[in-house]
Amino acid sequence: MAQDLGISYFSNPHDLCEQNPQVILLCTSIISTEPILKSLPLQCLGRDTLFVDMLPVKEFSKALLLKLLPSYFDIVCTHPIFRVERSKHGWNGVLFVYEKVRISSDGLRISLCDNFLNMFKKEGCRMVEISCAEHDKYVAGSQFITQTIGKVLGMLTLESTPINTKGYETLLDLVENAAGDSFDLYYEFFMYNKNALEMLERLDFAFDSLKRQLFGYLHDAVRKQLFGNAEKARTLHEDNKVPNPSHNGAASVSSLKAMRSHKIAQVLDHKAQILDRVDDNPRLKIAIVGFGNFGQFLAKTIIHQGHVVLAYSRSDYQDVAQKMGVICFSDAEDLCEQHPEVILFCTSILSTEKVLRSFPVQRLMRNTLFVDVLSVKEFPRNLFLQKLPLDFDILCTHPMFGPESGKNGWNGLPLVYDKVRVGSDESRVSLCERFLDIFALEGCRMVEMSCAEHDRHAAGSQFITHTIGRVLEKVGLESTPIPTNDYTTLLNLVKNTVGDSFDLYYGLFIYNVNAMDQLKRLDLAFESLKEQLFGRLYGVFHEQHFENANESPVKQENPCCQIVPDCSCIDKMN
Ligand code: NAP
């Protein structure tokens, strides 16, 4: 290989050092660095030799080089933060972190160090000079967290679904990237970066805190059912941040990308047909019930398409509505007397039943179409079927995007729908189609799917995405001067999910029968990863302290066997 690259290769370190290289660049693994350094015949090297290491843990390598190298050698500690497979076409924009640990004041030696660093600068690397200690602190808060999330989700064997949200797709990419890193590398990172344990503890604490929050609300809700209103319900608000110290589809991640572009092309074709249809039809009169975050977000586009939007909500939104051109009602009877053709429920999952129960449906025209956009689907489907007279039609939808992920348009984003009950009369069929056309016209990927199927897919994807976003929010991720792409992805995920109310997240948990199972799997995966890390530490300790080191007391079990019942990994087969 060296010959192909035009490199002189030496199998004996004496031969290498006798060539009198100006720079010794250590590309060793963390664990092997010390024995390799000790095996080098340093006395053969010129005293002005520059030693450079590229280990991902910098305080460790700095201390090691200072300890083992005579004081006449110069030392630069570096960490090029990029993946080999991603950077094979060039290093433009990749981060190159370094600290000039010891450079003598001699002009030639200063310029040797600068020339070495300039090689990377010329390739377009983003050069960041920070101390090794700062590097380790930032990296534990970003790279180690990213790898941990990637490893935990990797154990869940997440799969692409036909209704992926943008957030879920970024998680799939993260898992794919983390799969490229061995557990050994992750373990070394954990062992040799002194800040990593604290980050793991914070993640642990954040996950526990989220679970406590969910179970607390659940406990309140069940007690309320058992004891009526004798006890006051807990007010829904978020806990404080952590203090600073299935098979749900078939496609693989890569095939998903091809599927995405194919779907977008189909959507564009379809859009032209819809435009013809919309031009022939008069505009719709749509009443939005629940004019909060998501109701307003939908209203903007619906108005933009020329439809008439009325709104009714618990809070007073007169000013916002007026600015948007929406007619706002504080009395549901007044709203219904306007005889809207469509009633669009944008209420929180938790409040929908209560709002529907008090809704004066008797004031509406027969054939009114009831639509909901709740993020769970079986629950509103059953509720509408139970409560709404047969005169009304029912369409259950879930736009799989929100104000953040859909802020630049809805093109290519999935709209899941189930025509639960639509009369056969031509005008009723057409009303339902015209409503769906609002989304199709914006380029949404229209996915017709039963409510039950939706909930199965969404628990494995959307609920997991929201959970990870909320856990990381509690960890209190901060921006760093050396962010990796994966870390930026996680920061964006947090931004997307915390924009949603806790009611929404709690609704996803409580009203999707599959969510509890997914939470358990996530919990188990995280526990398994910790067990694997601490199991190895325990094994190392015993190896050091007991003669009988080969009979390690720790059973090293592959964590995927514990999460995936039908796991076919090599360990299990053995
Ligand atoms: P949300 O917290 O789920 O719902 C807020 C809406 O619910 C507001 O209109 C609020 O009315 C109403 N509401 C809450 N409690 C109520 C109560 N006790 N009585 C009457 N009304 C009550 O936040 P959201 O983001 O706006 O979501 C609305 C719906 O859209 C949810 O069902 C959600 O699952 C679905 N959805 C959201 C997204 C998203 O990205 N946000 C995406 C797809 C679907 P007031 O504002 O008048 O208090």
Side-chain angles (χ1 to χ4, degrees), residues 289-295 312-317 345-352 354-355 373-376 398-405 462 499-504 508:
V289 178
F291 201 52
N293 190 21
F294 198 62
Y312 163 73
S313 208
R314 176 181 60 168
S315 312
D316 179 6
Y317 288 111
F345 262 75
C346 296
T347 39
S348 68
I349 302 170
L350 305 179
S351 67
T352 299
K354 189 189 96 181
V355 175
V373 292
L374 270 55
S375 307
V376 290
H398 182 198
M400 306 286 301
F401 50 89
E404 194 55 43
S405 52
Q462 202 195 10
D500 293 331
S501 66
F502 189 77
D503 274 15
L504 199 161
L508 289 180

Side-chain angles (χ1 to χ4, degrees), residues 403-515:
E404 194 55 43
S405 52
K407 67 181 173 203
N408 299 320
W410 304 353
N411 200 24
L413 300 174
L415 182 275
V416 179
Y417 64 97
D418 185 359
K419 293 175 186 169
V420 174
R421 185 175 76 201
V422 178
S424 54
D425 187 85
E426 198 188 321
S427 65
R428 295 170 78 155
V429 172
S430 146
L431 176 60
C432 180
E433 290 303 329
R434 281 159 60 209
F435 178 81
L436 286 172
D437 282 350
I438 294 172
F439 294 88
L441 195 57
E442 294 301 316
C444 282
R445 187 157 64 76
M446 308 298 285
V447 185
E448 186 164 13
M449 172 182 283
S450 76
C451 291
E453 202 186 343
H454 165 278
D455 282 4
R456 230 178 20 255
H457 287 306
S461 58
Q462 202 195 10
F463 177 70
I464 289 283
T465 312
H466 275 255
T467 304
I468 296 293
R470 291 208 167 258
V471 168
L472 294 178
E473 195 244 342
K474 281 173 184 286
V475 169
L477 293 191
E478 284 162 9
S479 59
T480 108
I482 50 172
T484 57
N485 287 343
D486 284 342
Y487 186 63
T488 308
T489 295
L490 285 188
L491 288 178
N492 287 336
L493 180 72
V494 173
K495 201 166 120 197
N496 281 349
T497 40
V498 299
D500 293 331
S501 66
F502 189 77
D503 274 15
L504 199 161
Y505 176 64
Y506 180 62
L508 289 180
F509 172 64
I510 205 86
Y511 285 101
N512 186 329
V513 290
N514 310 291

Side-chain angles (χ1 to χ4, degrees), residues 229-244:
N229 283 330
E231 288 187 22
K232 271 197 174 169
R234 186 190 291 243
T235 38
L236 294 179
H237 64 83
E238 295 263 18
D239 272 356
N240 288 333
K241 283 187 182 174
V242 180
N244 224 15

Side-chain angles (χ1 to χ4, degrees), residues 120-381:
F120 295 89
K121 200 171 172 184
K122 276 192 203 141
E123 291 296 321
C125 288
R126 194 150 68 76
M127 309 298 284
V128 183
E129 186 169 6
I130 50 174
S131 73
C132 290
E134 274 178 300
H135 165 278
D136 281 6
K137 197 175 99 216
Y138 290 133
V139 160
S142 57
Q143 243 186 317
F144 181 70
I145 284 282
T146 316
Q147 284 185 356
T148 305
I149 297 291
K151 293 248 167 273
V152 168
L153 296 180
M155 288 186 213
L156 295 186
T157 55
L158 297 184
E159 285 172 352
S160 183
T161 79
I163 55 170
N164 292 346
T165 56
K166 270 189 180 176
Y168 185 59
E169 290 196 350
T170 60
L171 283 190
L172 290 178
D173 288 343
L174 188 79
V175 172
E176 197 179 35
N177 293 339
D181 293 336
S182 66
F183 183 77
D184 284 357
L185 186 74
Y186 176 67
Y187 171 75
E188 288 183 353
F189 212 94
F190 172 67
M191 266 320 298
Y192 291 93
N193 184 324
K194 71 168 192 239
N195 309 290
L197 180 63
E198 185 197 315
M199 288 316 294
L200 194 69
E201 282 169 357
R202 284 174 65 185
L203 198 59
D204 205 10
F205 194 83
F207 192 28
D208 274 350
S209 154
L210 186 68
K211 282 184 293 177
R212 276 200 302 275
Q213 207 177 351
L214 281 177
F215 297 139
Y217 287 125
L218 192 58
H219 189 250
D220 275 356
V222 175
R223 284 189 70 83
K224 221 179 145 196
Q225 275 175 11
L226 293 175
F227 300 102
N229 283 330
E231 288 187 22
K232 271 197 174 169
R234 186 190 291 243
T235 38
L236 294 179
H237 64 83
E238 295 263 18
D239 272 356
N240 288 333
K241 283 187 182 174
V242 180
N244 224 15
S246 100
H247 292 278
N248 48 4
S252 69
V253 179
S254 48
S255 68
L256 167 81
K257 285 178 185 153
M259 199 167 94
R260 271 184 230 155
S261 37
H262 176 64
K263 288 272 161 56
I264 289 171
Q266 281 182 333
V267 159
L268 289 176
D269 273 358
H270 190 46
K271 204 164 162 179
Q273 294 167 15
I274 298 156
L275 271 171
D276 293 345
R277 204 156 69 210
V278 168
D279 283 348
D280 294 343
N281 278 306
R283 48 199 193 152
L284 293 170
K285 196 195 273 184
I286 300 172
I288 295 185
V289 178
F291 201 52
N293 190 21
F294 198 62
Q296 291 173 32
F297 167 70
L298 289 181
K300 278 183 207 139
T301 301
I302 298 176
I303 293 246
H304 191 248
Q305 287 191 14
H307 303 289
V308 175
V309 176
L310 319 175
Y312 163 73
S313 208
R314 176 181 60 168
S315 312
D316 179 6
Y317 288 111
Q318 287 293 352
D319 289 348
V320 189
Q322 205 168 7
K323 281 189 198 129
M324 292 171 65
V326 170
I327 310 155
C328 204
F329 293 84
S330 52
D331 183 333
E333 309 243 359
D334 293 342
L335 175 95
C336 292
E337 277 173 6
Q338 295 297 316
H339 290 167
E341 293 149 293
V342 180
I343 302 284
L344 178 58
F345 262 75
C346 296
T347 39
S348 68
I349 302 170
L350 305 179
S351 67
T352 299
E353 183 166 2
K354 189 189 96 181
V355 175
L356 183 66
R357 232 188 278 130
S358 61
F359 202 69
V361 290
Q362 69 284 0
R363 304 234 174 274
L364 293 167
M365 289 184 302
R366 284 165 307 152
N367 299 0
T368 304
L369 173 66
F370 270 76
V371 185
D372 84 286
V373 292
L374 270 55
S375 307
V376 290
K377 294 271 54 79
E378 278 203 277
F379 164 66
R381 173 189 180 275

